[in-house]
Amino acid sequence: MVAKWGAAIEMSGLGLCFTCVETQGRIWKCLHNRGVILTPKLPQVELSLACNDLVASGRDRKPNALVQVAVIDPHQQHLVTQACTEIVEANKDPLFLTGVTFPSEYPASPETLVKLTVYDSKDKSQESSNFLGSATFSVGDLLRAKDERLTLSLRSSDGVCAAGTVVVSRLKMGEMEEVDVDHITTDIPPQKCPLVCDSASHACVDRENYPLTGPVFKNPVCKVYRFQTMDSKWMLVREQMEECTLSFSIPRQLLSLYIQQDMNRVQDLRELGELSPHWDNLRKEVMARYGGIIGYYQETLAELDKITGRSFKPSCCKAQKSLEFIPINLHTQRMRVTCPRKTGILSRLRQGASSSPRLKDAFYDIVTVGAPAAHFQGFKCGGLQRLLSRYEAEKKSFSTAYQCIYYSPEHTAKAQEVLSTVSLLQPLITSSADQLLQAAQERSSTGLKDVLKKLSDKTEQFVHTLKDELVKSALLALHAAQPGYVSKNQKPTPAQAGQHQGHVHQCSEQNPSPVQGLPGHSPATSVTESTVMCNNVDGSQTTTKGEGGTLPLKHQDSIPHHKEYDEEEWDRVWANVAKCLNCVIAMVDKLQEEDNNRQEPVPEQQLADVITSHNPGDWKEQLCPLVTRLKDCVMEVVGKAKRAMTFVLLQEAACSIPQGFLLQQRRDVVFSQALAALACGFVMRLYAGMEDKGFLRQLQLVGLVAQFESLLSTYSEEIGMLEDMEVGISDLQRVVFKITEAKTDDLSDLQPLVCGRRDHFTVEVPLPRLVFQTLPEEIKEGKPLQVFPVLFNVGINEQQTIAERFGDISLQERINQKNFEMLEAYYKSLSEKVPLECLPCFQTQTDVKELLETLGQNVVTKKRKNVEILWIAGSICRRLNGIRFTSCKSAKDRTSMSVTLEQCALLRDEHQLSKDCFIRALDCMRREGCRIENVQKNIRCRKYAFNMLQLMAFPKCYRPPEGTYGKVDS
């Protein structure tokens, strides 16, 4: 089905796709007509600029020219500055690489008036410049002109003297046109080369044929350039940066889920029933802590609900309390490259690629976001990784102080898993049981068989989940925590009342006699099958969990009535569920067998006996008691298991007051930021690969790698940020994605939804019906799609220099080594399940396995600021169809240097960008591209927040061009 959409071949991890014009046209157009914009709003009119015979203010020198472009607002009749070219130094005939594109708020129309003003810049900061001349034209004049080119005279300030001419051309793709480029740079000798152009009809097709995530992206910023290739031709490069609505919608949904989960936990604590005074006081304290978090989260959610129309959090607000759950400066950026492709390259593409010699577009996508970290809470004591390690080490002493049983993180996670699983399975079992009775009433043998299989699967999963010693030991501990569990021969003092629930070491010293251990049962207790659990037994029992597993229970010898608690009852209760299921299965088999016998020819007397002994309409009557018994047993088991696991979590929470709650709150904040970024990247990647059968197969069978690149230093506050980020990225392993069919094609119904609880979240991504129908069956059926997050960090600033020379970089080394091993494991799994033909092809034919080996060598190499780790990891990610992320503290300055460097490296390696043009292309993107617009959006100033001293410590390729940086508030 996907093949009918046409050929669309992904050529890079996040978006290098070659798409023929016919691809998906009818479907995208249909959706577009309905108002569903799944594509970038690429401008229909884009301009290139050049000047001739410019006259500088000083006659003895050539001007350093730049052109400022403004649009005359037709409503208010005032100029709106829209774009600015780069500075071409010492050239009276400059040809500018930076083009002009019209934003969505001022779309180009024939009546649009454009004013071009040419300046002679005295320095590269553009702050000091002399006016040379200006010219005005309408877009209609340009479109009507021959070859869609205008040559306009520049008028000086007095309106009389000519200061030269400016040449305005419409940038198009497809047509070939000779242009003199001897004035691109003073280093290149005069030559002729073709200019990449396009047919006029192609512009309107673009918006309908290049999928992007319109439903979740907004406020695009577009930039356009033309760069020279090694074979003296031209490529057209577009940058498009957009905000993401998920910046706010995902945290809002998570906050609601956190509130609901904590409210449920409070309700579960209430339903524990009556507890002894010691445990009741601890329960009240824990409930009060939960109440404080719930109140704070509700207040935060109310503040976020007041924010309308905003879809990103600027870096200057990173420490704002009400926005701490929102990711910092989350944007997506796509670089789209158009250049003539050689037939030899096309022949290496995957099957289904068009071999047409017409121009092809390549997409390269990246998500930029500030490091997920708790900036409002600060980093005085470090970040999550350090705080959690310290907390686990200290929790044993907390358990002694609060007289709780110590549970390891594994046991606590198991308790949460049991609670989550039984809460999920119980309604499914009940629903399947009701469906079984309905099928029995309808006497549907096929229906009975199908429903019974589903009921059996869910019930067996339910029984298997509860076959754990933790549930059994927790029931004993809960029983011991109830009132009246004291010796009949001795009235407890307040001190004793607390001691009998104490830590295992206290109990072991005072009570040397063994009680029935968890692995087996003591033969001293004789019970019958009808024995019911005693909920109010005098005596004392305590269970302990240690790092090594389950330890024997201890009790006080002076308590003679411990026999009243039947430890074997739990085994019988949950085993009864399986027995009830077997009874239901046997009855269904019997009914179906009898039904088959009735359909066979039988003597009249036997038929009369069968009719007399079995009423044909009593299927439901025979099944109903067994099904009811099954449902009752399940409900009984759920009740006991929930109370037991809630008691485990109560003890874990009690011995972690207040540190545990503060850490959970910090973890919630960091995870919220990380998940918003991941969801944004996943949705964008999904749409980019919608017609790529190889990508969809990989997504279905293995999942996607999400590679986070971090530029944080391992010094001062940023080491705390990195510790937060490490845990936040690792927690994304608890997330799966599902693709669903949208209820309608309205944009509101295409927003991703989050469901689940802290130990497991599912992000549902709705697609329009026409798009959803093209997906593989397993994905349409709701198969969970995995994402494998990996993090690589290399600090590049002056603080990293201090850390490398005088501090500690072990955190960075450990993170890179650990995540290299995870990336290597992902590739091994991918290569076993997915043919290599499904992966994208590149001009550079380096094998992924070879790249992994090189990455492994770099990870263990002791080299300062080894940014090759980031370059190689990014290259591997793109070759594995992965999702690329880049982060620094605010995703504004260092991130901009990294993104622009990566884009120019891709142009060089994949599109033969001229080596002589590399530095100039890099400067163009950093000076006038989307990243400087990102800086402007964040701090209202077009300056990267660097100073000269800082930049001396930066690797050279990460330094911005002169005049684009300075001291600013970031």
Side-chain angles (χ1 to χ4, degrees):
M1 183 179 293
V2 178
K4 294 191 295 184
W5 285 39
I9 295 87
E10 284 285 323
M11 288 300 294
S12 82
L14 203 61
L16 170 55
C17 47
F18 290 87
T19 312
C20 64
V21 176
E22 293 79 14
T23 299
Q24 66 180 343
R26 285 186 298 169
I27 292 181
W28 292 118
K29 187 172 183 178
C30 177
L31 294 172
H32 181 76
N33 291 339
R34 296 184 187 183
V36 182
I37 309 297
L38 300 177
T39 59
K41 297 179 180 179
L42 294 176
Q44 294 189 19
V45 179
E46 294 170 328
L47 312 178
S48 65
L49 300 172
C51 294
N52 293 318
D53 302 321
L54 293 181
V55 179
S57 53
R59 300 288 179 175
D60 56 341
R61 69 176 187 88
K62 296 179 180 179
N64 300 323
L66 67 94
V67 180
Q68 189 177 80
V69 184
V71 175
I72 300 177
D73 189 326
H75 303 292
Q76 302 181 13
Q77 293 298 314
H78 66 83
L79 288 175
V80 178
T81 301
Q82 189 163 320
C84 187
T85 68
E86 79 278 13
I87 299 173
V88 178
E89 296 183 37
N91 201 318
K92 65 183 181 64
D93 300 319
L95 188 149
F96 300 97
L97 302 185
T98 305
V100 179
T101 182
F102 292 89
S104 55
E105 60 265 32
Y106 293 104
S109 66
E111 294 77 24
T112 300
L113 292 178
V114 181
K115 182 177 182 180
L116 306 176
T117 307
V118 182
Y119 292 95
D120 178 11
S121 178
K122 292 183 179 179
D123 56 56
K124 293 184 178 181
S125 68
Q126 302 180 11
E127 294 177 353
S128 177
S129 56
N130 294 325
F131 173 81
L132 294 182
S134 63
T136 304
F137 69 96
S138 71
V139 172
D141 293 338
L142 176 64
L143 297 178
R144 288 188 293 268
K146 183 180 179 181
D147 299 327
E148 295 183 320
R149 172 182 295 186
L150 291 174
T151 300
L152 306 171
S153 296
L154 292 171
R155 293 295 175 183
S156 58
S157 55
D158 57 12
V160 178
C161 300
T165 60
V166 58
V167 180
V168 185
S169 304
R170 183 181 177 191
L171 273 177
K172 299 171 291 182
M173 297 172 292
E175 300 169 354
M176 307 305 291
E177 182 178 307
E178 295 295 321
V179 62
D180 189 357
V181 297
D182 60 342
H183 48 293
I184 291 181
T185 173
T186 55
D187 305 300
I188 302 177
Q191 55 185 314
K192 294 282 185 177
C193 75
L195 175 66
V196 177
C197 295
D198 176 285
S199 63
S201 62
H202 205 103
C204 62
V205 179
D206 289 334
R207 298 215 314 275
E208 298 174 5
N209 285 288
Y210 297 109
L212 192 62
T213 46
V216 297
F217 279 14
K218 60 188 297 186
N219 300 332
V221 174
C222 302
K223 297 290 181 176
V224 61
Y225 316 91
R226 49 180 175 176
F227 298 138
Q228 192 178 19
T229 63
M230 294 177 66
D231 54 356
S232 297
K233 294 185 179 180
W234 290 90
M235 70 174 83
L236 186 62
V237 179
R238 289 190 180 96
E239 286 183 306
Q240 181 163 324
M241 180 182 69
E242 291 185 287
E243 300 167 12
C244 183
T245 60
L246 302 184
S247 289
F248 282 78
S249 69
I250 294 292
R252 283 192 186 106
Q253 293 179 67
L254 278 178
L255 278 167
S256 297
L257 293 173
Y258 292 153
I259 291 168
Q260 187 60 51
Q261 182 178 349
D262 289 345
M263 291 176 70
N264 291 341
R265 183 66 49 79
V266 170
Q267 183 62 30
D268 290 341
L269 289 171
R270 288 196 182 102
E271 293 174 357
L272 280 178
E274 191 177 2
L275 299 176
S276 65
H278 168 74
W279 285 108
D280 192 48
N281 289 334
L282 286 179
R283 173 169 59 178
K284 290 177 181 177
E285 188 173 357
V286 169
M287 289 171 61
R289 289 284 179 177
Y290 275 122
I293 290 179
I294 291 169
Y296 174 65
Y297 284 4
Q298 288 174 333
E299 180 183 338
T300 302
L301 184 58
E303 289 296 319
L304 292 181
D305 288 338
K306 295 177 183 178
I307 300 174
T308 57
R310 189 168 167 185
S311 53
F312 93 105
K313 168 183 163 182
S315 63
C316 56
C317 299
K318 57 177 168 283
Q320 187 172 328
K321 181 180 180 181
S322 61
L323 298 178
E324 66 173 338
F325 287 86
I326 309 300
I328 302 167
N329 193 19
L330 176 61
H331 283 80
T332 60
Q333 186 157 325
R334 164 168 289 177
M335 181 176 71
R336 175 185 173 194
V337 186
T338 304
C339 57
R341 280 285 175 180
K342 297 178 181 179
T343 307
I345 295 175
L346 288 172
S347 66
R348 296 199 302 269
L349 302 184
R350 289 195 291 272
Q351 186 177 2
S354 170
S355 59
S356 168
R358 63 185 302 161
L359 300 177
K360 300 298 172 182
D361 276 16
F363 292 112
Y364 300 92
D365 293 349
I366 195 165
V367 179
T368 60
V369 62
H375 292 272
F376 170 72
Q377 298 178 33
F379 309 96
K380 185 177 180 180
C381 298
L384 273 173
Q385 187 272 332
R386 194 188 327 173
L387 293 171
L388 287 171
S389 298
R390 187 185 305 153
Y391 163 71
E392 288 300 331
E394 295 174 350
K395 197 161 70 169
K396 290 183 181 180
S397 61
F398 293 159
S399 64
T400 303
Y402 280 88
Q403 298 182 354
C404 304
I405 300 169
Y406 171 73
Y407 288 98
S408 67
E410 293 76 19
H411 294 136
T412 302
K414 182 63 180 178
Q416 293 172 336
E417 179 187 342
V418 170
L419 273 176
S420 178
T421 304
V422 298
S423 298
L424 175 67
L425 291 177
Q426 187 265 328
L428 296 177
I429 292 172
T430 301
S431 174
S432 297
D434 293 338
Q435 292 173 20
L436 189 70
L437 292 178
Q438 181 64 30
Q441 184 175 4
E442 297 171 356
R443 298 182 61 83
S444 170
S445 295
T446 303
L448 274 177
K449 184 178 179 181
D450 293 342
V451 176
L452 183 62
K453 184 180 185 308
K454 183 167 67 171
L455 177 63
S456 299
D457 292 342
K458 297 301 179 185
T459 307
E460 289 172 7
Q461 185 181 349
F462 178 81
V463 172
H464 178 74
T465 299
L466 296 172
K467 190 178 181 180
D468 193 286
E469 289 294 338
L470 178 62
V471 182
K472 189 175 182 180
S473 64
L475 281 171
L476 291 174
L478 174 60
H479 182 71
Q482 293 171 345
Y485 196 74
V486 294
S487 171
K488 287 186 176 182
N489 301 329
Q490 180 181 359
K491 235 180 174 181
T493 65
Q496 290 171 326
Q499 288 174 355
H500 75 266
Q501 289 100 2
H503 192 267
V504 62
H505 300 301
Q506 296 172 312
C507 298
S508 300
E509 293 170 3
Q510 298 173 10
N511 313 309
S513 300
V515 178
Q516 300 166 334
L518 295 182
H521 304 292
S522 169
T525 305
S526 176
V527 293
T528 64
E529 287 295 322
S530 60
T531 303
V532 180
M533 182 185 223
C534 178
N535 292 323
N536 190 18
V537 182
D538 293 339
S540 176
Q541 288 181 333
T542 306
T543 308
T544 182
K545 289 284 182 175
E547 294 289 350
T550 306
L551 299 179
L553 292 171
K554 304 292 180 180
H555 79 108
Q556 295 180 359
D557 287 340
S558 59
I559 302 175
H561 295 283
H562 65 272
K563 294 181 181 179
E564 295 181 29
Y565 180 80
D566 181 8
E567 294 184 34
E568 295 184 358
E569 193 212 2
W570 169 250
D571 294 330
R572 291 193 298 275
V573 168
W574 72 259
N576 281 342
V577 175
K579 292 177 182 178
C580 291
L581 175 64
N582 290 334
C583 292
V584 171
I585 293 173
M587 178 57 71
V588 170
D589 290 343
K590 176 185 175 184
L591 293 175
Q592 290 181 325
E593 182 180 354
E594 291 177 352
D595 187 56
N596 293 334
N597 291 337
R598 286 195 195 94
Q599 296 176 5
E600 297 176 0
V602 294
E604 291 185 5
Q605 183 58 42
Q606 289 185 1
L607 181 60
D609 294 340
V610 170
I611 295 174
T612 303
S613 60
H614 295 286
N615 182 353
D618 65 358
W619 278 20
K620 182 177 180 181
E621 294 178 8
Q622 295 184 62
L623 269 178
C624 191
L626 299 176
V627 170
T628 301
R629 176 62 180 158
L630 172 63
K631 291 163 64 176
D632 290 344
C633 286
V634 169
M635 288 295 293
E636 182 183 7
V637 169
V638 168
K640 291 179 180 296
K642 283 184 68 174
R643 287 195 298 273
M645 296 299 94
T646 299
F647 190 63
V648 170
L649 298 179
L650 168 61
Q651 294 173 86
E652 196 273 339
C655 71
S656 54
I657 294 173
Q659 290 88 342
F661 286 91
L662 295 175
L663 283 178
Q664 185 60 67
Q665 186 174 335
R666 187 182 190 100
R667 202 165 187 170
D668 289 346
V669 167
V670 175
F671 179 76
S672 173
Q673 298 176 26
L675 181 59
L678 179 66
C680 168
F682 181 88
V683 173
M684 190 178 192
R685 184 65 190 87
L686 175 65
Y687 276 143
M690 194 64 70
E691 292 85 45
D692 184 348
K693 290 185 286 187
F695 165 76
L696 293 175
R697 185 177 180 184
Q698 173 187 348
L699 178 63
Q700 169 188 331
L701 295 177
V702 187
L704 299 180
V705 64
Q707 186 250 327
F708 288 80
E709 171 187 308
S710 168
L711 299 161
L712 294 172
S713 67
T714 54
Y715 184 77
S716 188
E717 281 195 342
E718 289 198 4
I719 195 170
M721 297 176 201
L722 183 57
E723 289 170 341
D724 273 357
M725 186 176 185
E726 180 191 7
V727 175
I729 300 305
S730 177
D731 283 348
L732 293 177
Q733 297 176 43
R734 299 181 279 136
V735 178
V736 297
F737 289 82
K738 286 186 180 180
I739 301 176
T740 61
E741 182 178 348
K743 297 177 182 178
T744 70
D745 289 344
D746 293 337
L747 294 184
S748 59
D749 288 328
L750 295 173
Q751 295 292 321
L753 303 174
V754 185
C755 57
R757 49 195 297 147
R758 284 185 177 93
D759 55 331
H760 183 80
F761 286 103
T762 300
V763 180
E764 297 181 354
V765 181
L767 294 180
R769 182 179 60 83
L770 291 175
V771 180
F772 182 78
Q773 294 303 321
T774 66
L775 295 173
E777 285 301 320
E778 281 196 48
I779 294 181
K780 288 196 291 184
E781 290 170 1
K783 179 178 180 179
L785 307 175
Q786 301 289 332
V787 173
F788 299 86
V790 293
L791 168 66
F792 291 92
N793 183 85
V794 176
I796 63 171
N797 65 1
E798 77 287 354
Q799 290 187 327
Q800 187 64 21
T801 302
I802 298 174
E804 289 174 339
R805 294 185 178 179
F806 311 109
D808 180 15
I809 62 170
S810 59
L811 174 63
Q812 175 175 289
E813 292 173 340
R814 181 182 57 78
I815 288 174
N816 291 341
Q817 180 61 44
K818 175 184 174 183
N819 286 272
F820 165 71
E821 293 169 1
M822 294 170 61
L823 184 59
E824 195 174 37
Y826 171 81
Y827 175 69
K828 181 179 179 181
S829 175
L830 179 68
S831 58
E832 290 173 353
K833 298 179 181 179
V834 178
L836 294 180
E837 292 76 19
C838 293
L839 298 179
C841 300
F842 278 79
Q843 277 271 62
T844 49
Q845 295 297 304
T846 310
D847 183 65
V848 175
K849 191 173 181 180
E850 183 181 338
L851 286 172
L852 277 168
E853 291 175 358
T854 307
L855 178 60
Q857 294 169 3
N858 275 275
V859 164
V860 298
T861 299
K862 300 292 184 180
K863 180 181 177 182
R864 293 177 179 174
K865 297 183 181 176
N866 189 5
V867 290
E868 288 186 34
I869 291 174
L870 304 180
W871 300 346
I872 299 170
S875 181
I876 292 172
C877 174
R878 292 191 183 277
R879 281 165 169 75
L880 295 181
N881 273 328
I883 312 172
R884 277 279 293 114
F885 299 84
T886 296
S887 297
C888 60
K889 181 165 67 174
S890 60
K892 177 174 61 66
D893 304 305
R894 283 169 284 179
T895 294
S896 295
M897 300 301 103
S898 176
V899 169
T900 50
L901 177 62
E902 182 176 6
Q903 289 182 164
C904 287
L906 287 167
L907 294 177
R908 178 194 62 202
D909 299 337
E910 301 301 322
H911 302 281
Q912 301 181 341
L913 175 68
S914 170
K915 293 181 180 179
D916 296 325
C917 197
F918 181 87
I919 296 300
R920 188 170 173 202
L922 189 60
D923 284 356
C924 278
M925 288 184 176
R926 289 174 174 175
R927 189 183 296 276
E928 299 297 339
C930 287
R931 298 317 303 180
I932 198 68
E933 298 295 339
N934 182 271
V935 173
Q936 171 72 27
K937 289 174 67 174
N938 277 273
I939 61 173
R940 306 298 179 190
C941 176
R942 298 175 70 86
K943 293 281 187 182
Y944 298 111
F946 302 130
N947 59 48
M948 183 62 72
L949 183 61
Q950 287 176 308
L951 293 179
M952 289 174 64
F954 275 45
K956 288 185 178 180
C957 52
Y958 286 89
R959 299 174 186 175
E962 186 181 341
T964 62
Y965 57 87
K967 185 178 180 180
V968 292
D969 293 329
S970 59

